[in-house]
Amino acid sequence: MSEPFTVPSTLAHRIQQLWPTARAGRLGRLRRGIEKEGLRVGADGHIAQTPHPEALGSKLTHPHITTDYSESLLEYITPVFSEPRDALSFLTDLHAYSYRHLDGEWIWPASMPSRLTGNDSVPIADYGSSNSGVMKHVYRKGLDVRYGRIMQAIAGVHYNISLPDEMWQALRDVEGAGETAFNDYRSTRYFGLIRNFRRHSWLLLYLFGASPAIDKSFLDGGRMPDKLQPLDDETYMAPFATTLRMSDLGYQNTVQEQLRICFNSLPNYVNTLRNAISTPWPDYQAMGVKVDGDWQQLNANILQIENEYYSDIRPKRVAAKGETPSQALEAGGVEYIEVRCLDLDPFEPLGVSEPQMRFLDTFLMWCLLSESPWISDEECDHLDDNRRLVVERGRDPALCLNRGGESVSLRDWGEQIVGEMQPVAELLDADEDGTPHLEALAALAPRLQDAGLTPSARLLERLRDEETSFSDLVLSLANDQADMLRRQSDETRETVLAQQAVTSHQQQRDMEAAEEPSFDDFLSDYFARARESYAVTPLSDLP
């Protein structure tokens, strides 16, 4: 960086006040969990048509190995860890265990899908005959009739992170908010973090976007969008794109745009989602819900369920049995946040790395400790424009973004943010051996000076240098990574995962054998409860 940046006074003051607690080792460590998706593909690079492998357990009940939309879209879920390397170690073992039970298949290491042969080549996941299993399947059928299956074959990394109670308590004391109930304070501050994330998530798209190209089959015979150009007979790309996954080719929904969720408060967020799962949409009504006795979608509303809302970040809380996600948030407040804008890095065998996690931790803490006023509708539009520009043209040296009505280059703004993150990284490193957060900033900041260091640029460079197609290059990476991951071995965890697979199958059988109401009655009861605001019982305030 050419010169040091001045840290805003409010941010500097908060950091200064937290230092005594940090030096005393009483801030605690951030808690992290990873959800990582990856398509199963065959040796020819086409999406696998085989069922979810029996040895991997029941995708309905297994705690760590399941599927997302498609039967072929593996999803790994780690437990919560306070050390990034522990989360990555667990993720490594999930890959290694899977590879020992995959027969001639690979796990696709890119976000944009492998070769497809039309919409029906993406098999919808089947979760069995229990009511909860049927609901998951019908929900996915609804996504098909609304948006098509191909969009649902896109994969990514979800990064779940929470601050320990000790850190929240220290921050509450620093801000003189001791009279505010702990859960209310924590939720309010999490929403402040989320608003700043929305303002600046374009930086993550630039640094970590890794999907500037697609296989031609992704368009399913449709016209090539203007933003794309052919690279070869099988590959389309956008020269300066960072993450086509986050463009209108990927997880976008014009119907949902009317929801205007800019995360100004927990009640606003919950009420907007609750209204969306209760408000019919004419186009979805025309599709039908149950046609000739066959469920096409769960309902004809703007959202079938709350999870259908696409966002680059979500406030979350683990729901108790019988609770919807919104009711869980109403009852206990925000427990953690889920970052959803991360592409798989095809050059990383796990799709994510420890320096990336450390950078994310620092960025999210910077979002939390910085001032975060409410987002107006006008600002919301500017934020959407900034993200779209970085998605489609993020590596364009001439690109400028809108910062409070001022035009500023991506590089200058990005360097300013990283400069402000430095003292935050130092604070997080107070409870670490060494300086892993500062080292992560030092490792990744050069990408702002040299766009050629970004994963999106590296992928395009490989495609051009090797004169190969997107699918052939990614399949080669998958093959190399499979060889490496198969050699990983933790006998204890292998035994545990094998037992969990057996147990999960039995749990699914038990669910299917239990006496249940009809699916129609089950669904009617679910949505009746989902429309109700949670009758909040005040929780004991934490010390």
Side-chain angles (χ1 to χ4, degrees), residues 396-416:
D396 185 343
L399 179 64
C400 287
L401 304 177
N402 185 319
R403 182 178 62 187
E406 170 195 11
S407 180
V408 59
S409 75
L410 180 150
R411 173 178 151 179
D412 288 348
W413 193 0
E415 290 188 340
Q416 177 187 338

Side-chain angles (χ1 to χ4, degrees), residues 424-451:
V424 179
E426 293 172 2
L427 184 70
L428 290 175
D429 282 339
D431 200 27
E432 298 284 349
D433 295 328
T435 56
H437 295 91
L438 280 172
E439 291 167 14
L441 296 193
L444 294 167
R447 294 181 183 182
L448 288 163
Q449 289 280 345
D450 182 359

Side-chain angles (χ1 to χ4, degrees), residues 323-393:
E323 279 184 333
T324 67
S326 288
Q327 289 168 338
L329 287 172
E330 285 179 310
V334 182
E335 185 178 17
Y336 66 98
I337 56 172
E338 178 186 35
V339 176
R340 300 166 53 82
C341 63
L342 303 176
D343 283 355
L344 298 177
D345 186 336
F347 303 110
E348 290 287 343
L350 303 178
V352 62
S353 67
E354 181 172 349
Q356 181 179 5
M357 294 173 68
R358 297 287 189 179
F359 187 97
L360 286 166
D361 295 343
T362 311
F363 177 78
L364 292 167
M365 278 296 293
W366 173 80
C367 288
L368 174 71
L369 296 176
S370 300
E371 281 295 287
S372 184
W374 280 25
I375 297 176
S376 66
D377 287 348
E378 181 181 11
E379 184 184 5
C380 201
D381 290 336
H382 291 323
L383 304 186
D384 290 341
D385 289 340
N386 282 345
R387 282 190 294 274
R388 177 183 54 79
L389 287 170
V390 175
V391 161
E392 297 181 2
R393 295 175 43 219

Side-chain angles (χ1 to χ4, degrees), residues 19 141 199 201 284-285 325 355:
W19 260 111
K141 290 179 67 176
R199 290 181 171 102
S201 61
Y284 301 157
Q285 288 178 309

Side-chain angles (χ1 to χ4, degrees), residues 69-70 130 185 218 259 302 317 323-324 421 444:
Y69 175 84
S70 174
S130 68
Y185 172 79
F218 182 80
L259 298 178
I302 295 173
R317 184 173 195 85
E323 279 184 333
T324 67
M421 288 168 60
L444 294 167

Side-chain angles (χ1 to χ4, degrees), residues 461-481:
E461 183 180 28
R462 286 282 298 271
L463 290 173
R464 292 184 176 117
D465 288 351
E466 299 179 21
E467 297 182 347
T468 188
S469 69
F470 167 74
S471 287
D472 284 343
L473 173 62
V474 177
L475 186 62
S476 174
L477 291 170
N479 198 350
D480 293 343
Q481 292 169 10

